[in-house]
Amino acid sequence: MKLLVTGGAGFIASNYIRYALSAHPDYHIINLDKLTYAGNLENLRDIESSNRYTFIKGDICDEKILEGMEFDAILNFAAESHVDRSILDAQPFLRTNIMGTYNLLEAARRRDCFFLQVSTDEVYGSIEKGFFNEDSPLLPNSPYAASKASSDMLVRAYVETHKLKAVITRCSNNYGPYQFPEKLIPLVILNAVNGKPIPVYGDGMNVRDWIHVTDHCRAVDAVFHRGAPGEVYNIGSRNERPNIEIIKLILKKVAEILDLDEAGLMDLISFVEDRKGHDRRYAIDPLKIEEGTGWKPEMSFEQGIEKTIEWYISNKDWWQRIISGEYMQYYNTQYGERLKD
Ligand code: NAD
Ligand code: DAU
């Protein structure tokens, strides 16, 4: 089996490639990645010399990129993925997330190969009470979420119109090793370690449903092997927490691990102006994937967050190279004004 994994140099897909190479010893994986600011080949250093792995630098929007390439299935992880960046400039989101997905769908249709679209719970918008299931209406609130909802619609249309064998997964918030530090959890860990203010949007009571990235990777793999073509599967781990609770938990753990003054770290918490269109709560009902594929999350949040904090603390070279590049410019644009007072 030859899989084309797109966006494999990013956070989730690099974890997926590592998982799939080890879980399926007869699989070959082609990683197609444009290497945007979020793509980092260091995420794959430990497996890059495997003879079952090939890297191709390329853009999923390039109509010619897949010419002559052979594979049995496409797993599309590639995307512009950060909500705050989509508020600053939505154009790259529309290009990659919509046109890129369209281009891959066309390639899958021509070859009649299986297609898995990695989507997000954000397509459903915000929910006050209860849980999103696969029949919840798509009500995206950020340009990022709207671009992901658009790509989901295209996948659906290719299933209905061209009978493409395709599935969609919609996962909640991931955390774990190799996550780019623009996202909440790595940002809090690094700012705590570096003694920098921790920006909390609004009142800090927005709720996310956190899942460890390896559980998400196992879920994608379960849907790929045991999901029914044409179906959508929500992925979540019933782990809802308000942001401020996550932040305090991380600061407490960092203080313990590095033997720092906990109260001093708590003083870094800085409430700042809210994100525009900030979704209040996401909550996923994962019953369909559990019953349909037998998948269940395995990592408890307490265990996962501790391992993640330890990973960032012991992989300083990895994040130091990132925060000394384009990231600082983004960080100053995003937080400079907000953190002023
Ligand atoms: P990421 O930003 O860490 O990685 C994205 C990768 O895609 C990078 O390697 C980047 O170089 C690559 N890429 C971007 N544009 C490309 C293009 N035009 N052509 C080829 N490659 C391109 O993202 P992530 O957090 O790992 O998310 C992966 C997928 O999972 C995305 O589709 C995202 O919407 C979805 N998702 C993410 C989360 C989360 O919590 N991070 C949750 C649910 C779903
Ligand atoms: O739900 C799945 C989605 O989760 C994915 O589709 C996205 O790709 C991924 O980025 C993530 O989106 P969020 O916007 O929920 O994640 P983020 O880490 O940006 O923010 C998590 C919460 O923390 C959110 O309520 C905003 C808040 N936040 C975030 C940052 C970066 C802060 O309070 N301060 C911050 O500095």
Side-chain angles (χ1 to χ4, degrees):
M1 176 76 91
K2 224 175 195 181
L3 305 190
L4 177 71
V5 170
T6 69
F11 163 48
I12 300 173
S14 63
N15 277 283
Y16 178 76
I17 292 174
R18 182 172 297 101
Y19 169 79
L21 284 175
S22 132
H24 309 294
D26 51 337
Y27 280 18
H28 187 111
I29 294 185
I30 306 169
N31 170 13
L32 173 67
D33 198 297
K34 186 181 172 184
L35 299 184
T36 66
Y37 78 91
N40 184 354
L41 289 176
E42 288 184 25
N43 297 1
L44 293 155
R45 277 286 173 259
D46 53 327
I47 55 101
E48 68 184 359
S49 57
S50 164
N51 57 10
R52 295 189 291 119
Y53 169 75
T54 309
F55 172 67
I56 296 174
K57 182 171 180 204
D59 188 337
I60 60 166
C61 300
D62 177 352
E63 286 168 31
K64 298 217 161 49
I65 193 74
L66 301 181
E67 273 176 15
M69 229 188 259
E70 280 176 31
F71 45 81
D72 304 296
I74 300 177
L75 276 65
N76 183 28
F77 291 80
E80 288 295 335
S81 70
H82 193 38
V83 174
D84 288 323
R85 289 191 193 242
S86 81
I87 296 167
L88 293 172
D89 178 12
Q91 201 275 345
F93 289 74
L94 308 192
R95 185 182 175 278
T96 287
N97 301 359
I98 305 175
M99 289 309 291
T101 301
Y102 157 73
N103 194 35
L104 297 175
L105 284 168
E106 273 296 301
R109 176 179 73 83
R110 285 195 297 270
R111 288 153 201 259
D112 192 24
C113 83
F114 191 86
F115 189 90
L116 187 147
Q117 172 70 359
V118 178
S119 188
T120 167
D121 63 355
E122 296 205 14
V123 297
Y124 298 121
S126 194
I127 189 163
E128 233 174 83
K129 287 194 186 118
F131 303 91
F132 297 125
N133 64 36
E134 290 76 4
D135 297 323
S136 302
L138 302 194
L139 295 168
N141 291 319
S142 70
Y144 160 70
S147 70
K148 293 295 287 187
S150 306
S151 49
D152 285 13
M153 293 297 197
L154 278 172
V155 176
R156 178 195 150 81
Y158 272 66
V159 169
E160 294 298 320
T161 307
H162 298 298
K163 308 298 168 217
L164 187 75
K165 289 184 279 308
V167 284
I168 298 174
T169 60
R170 295 187 181 137
C171 190
S172 60
N173 283 62
N174 284 224
Y175 69 98
Y178 302 106
Q179 186 167 31
F180 196 85
E182 65 194 352
K183 307 285 175 15
L184 181 71
I185 286 185
L187 184 137
V188 173
I189 300 171
L190 297 196
N191 281 19
V193 168
N194 294 316
K196 287 172 69 171
I198 303 211
V200 185
Y201 297 165
D203 61 3
M205 289 308 289
N206 299 66
V207 170
R208 298 292 183 267
D209 177 357
W210 295 95
I211 183 169
H212 193 270
V213 65
T214 53
D215 278 331
H216 182 194
C217 294
R218 289 176 42 254
V220 166
D221 207 57
V223 170
F224 175 50
H225 290 99
R226 298 186 290 284
E231 294 294 319
V232 175
Y233 293 88
N234 286 347
I235 304 168
S237 66
R238 299 186 182 88
N239 178 42
E240 283 179 55
R241 313 222 175 198
N243 295 334
I244 193 70
E245 184 190 307
I246 300 272
I247 292 165
K248 287 184 175 165
L249 179 69
I250 294 173
L251 296 178
K252 191 172 175 331
K253 293 265 178 217
V254 170
E256 269 167 35
I257 296 170
L258 294 180
D259 197 19
L260 297 171
D261 171 40
E262 189 180 317
L265 285 189
M266 295 290 171
D267 281 346
L268 294 175
I269 292 176
S270 309
F271 288 91
V272 298
E273 186 194 331
D274 209 352
R275 173 186 276 174
K276 289 181 188 161
H278 196 177
D279 284 333
R280 192 66 174 167
R281 173 174 174 259
Y282 301 144
I284 279 289
D285 177 1
L287 206 62
K288 180 173 171 181
I289 183 176
E290 288 176 346
E291 290 185 344
T293 71
W295 171 86
K296 272 201 186 323
E298 285 177 354
M299 183 84 79
S300 75
F301 186 68
E302 283 63 31
Q303 191 193 2
I305 197 73
E306 192 153 334
K307 281 173 71 144
T308 304
I309 295 168
E310 279 162 359
W311 187 88
Y312 279 90
I313 288 175
S314 359
N315 285 277
K316 199 169 171 188
D317 287 354
W318 180 86
W319 54 259
Q320 234 162 10
R321 270 194 283 279
I322 293 174
I323 65 172
S324 56
E326 180 268 0
Y327 176 72
M328 254 353 270
Q329 205 183 323
Y330 162 77
Y331 187 90
N332 291 333
T333 311
Q334 183 62 17
Y335 299 108
E337 281 300 312
R338 291 190 199 199
L339 286 172
K340 241 181 195 157
D341 4 274

